[in-house]
Amino acid sequence: MDQKAFQDYYPEQLSHCYGCGRLNEHGLQIKSYWDGEETCCVFTPLPHHMAIPGYVYGGLIASLIDCHSTGTAAAAMARAQQREIDSQPPLRFVTASLHVDYLRPTPLGVALEVRATILEIKGRKVVVSSTLAAQGEICARGEVVAVQLPEDFKLGE
Amino acid sequence: MDQKAFQDYYPEQLSHCYGCGRLNEHGLQIKSYWDGEETCCVFTPLPHHMAIPGYVYGGLIASLIDCHSTGTAAAAMARAQQREIDSQPPLRFVTASLHVDYLRPTPLGVALEVRATILEIKGRKVVVSSTLAAQGEICARGEVVAVQLPEDFKLGE
């Protein structure tokens, strides 16, 4: 894939997220891309990302859905505003709410594919719906309400 | 606290969860306890559990709420059935759905307290409501539908 990931456009000071920050060396460093009108992220959990033997930890699934959705929100807002994600003001979204339905146990040891679609863009809010699949079978569904970080938000240390 | 945590009652083969398994050396190893009719879990995120500088990663918050809620479900079912969590058949719950509302940014560097109450116990299902607070201020609210793992569930490797 020669496309640049959404997360690679985030400004340096907003690239430390455990789930998607390219500068968090302990984190998951997920990468999200457009695939037509949908967005896609592929991630292979590590053996210790386990819930019970053989199956993926639900908190990791929530994390993948969360960060892929906020990345999708940034990309969708950029598209809607006909500009790049890294143009000013920065398009970095945080999560207002996260919902995950776990439909079946998610097998550990294979690549997981998260696919998202935009349900709504309204003001600074983007609502994102997603599925998480393993070997073509949908194991979880997510819905995230993402809100654009205010430009004057005061970062901590 | 000289109480034994809910998670310390889980059978060995079900104690590898990234969020709460005492045998997952890479995991969070959260510990949950009764506090009257509520349950409580205190966890201090590590510096790399960051969303943006100064604030805790939402996926970690979801993970704490998730595992504390499934632990609470096991403890509540044990109480309802007037038996110990580690009596037979084992009381180990998995997540059917997870909802988190992020009310305000959660500061990084301080202990977080997750407190949960039981909304409903029906058959093998327990619905758990929770709050996550930092320095006495509620930063997130969660609701988890937890379902008891079937006794004949086939674990993977």
Side-chain angles (χ1 to χ4, degrees), chain B residues 103-156:
Chain B
L103 306 177
R104 69 190 78 239
T106 301
L108 190 61
V110 299
L112 305 180
E113 186 179 59
V114 189
R115 299 190 73 83
T117 53
I118 316 302
L119 295 185
E120 185 188 8
I121 301 182
K122 193 175 180 184
R124 301 176 69 87
K125 187 180 85 172
V126 180
V127 184
V128 179
S129 173
S130 58
T131 58
L132 180 142
Q135 297 169 306
E137 190 168 50
I138 293 177
C139 300
R141 290 186 186 277
E143 188 167 316
V144 165
V145 178
V147 176
Q148 194 179 335
L149 195 66
E151 285 91 78
D152 61 355
F153 186 86
K154 203 179 166 322
L155 296 174

Side-chain angles (χ1 to χ4, degrees), chain A residues 49-101:
Chain A
H49 291 140
M50 181 190 293
I52 53 177
Y55 298 98
V56 177
Y57 175 48
L60 180 82
I61 291 169
S63 298
L64 297 177
I65 286 173
D66 183 10
C67 279
H68 178 60
S69 299
T70 53
T72 294
M77 189 65 91
R79 231 183 215 194
Q81 296 180 350
Q82 297 180 296
R83 62 183 181 104
E84 296 295 323
I85 301 178
D86 58 353
S87 60
Q88 291 300 318
L91 289 167
R92 186 74 167 88
F93 282 70
V94 291
T95 309
S97 78
L98 165 70
H99 186 89
V100 182
D101 288 314

Side-chain angles (χ1 to χ4, degrees), chain B residues 63-128:
Chain B
S63 298
L64 297 177
I65 286 173
D66 182 11
C67 278
H68 178 61
S69 299
T70 52
T72 294
M77 188 65 90
R79 232 185 214 193
Q81 297 179 350
Q82 297 180 297
R83 60 181 180 108
E84 295 295 324
I85 301 178
D86 58 353
S87 60
Q88 291 300 318
L91 289 167
R92 186 74 167 87
F93 281 70
V94 292
T95 309
S97 78
L98 165 70
H99 186 90
V100 182
D101 287 315
Y102 298 91
L103 306 177
R104 69 190 78 239
T106 301
L108 190 61
V110 299
L112 305 180
E113 186 179 59
V114 189
R115 299 190 73 83
T117 53
I118 316 302
L119 295 185
E120 185 188 8
I121 301 182
K122 193 175 180 184
R124 301 176 69 87
K125 187 180 85 172
V126 180
V127 184
V128 179

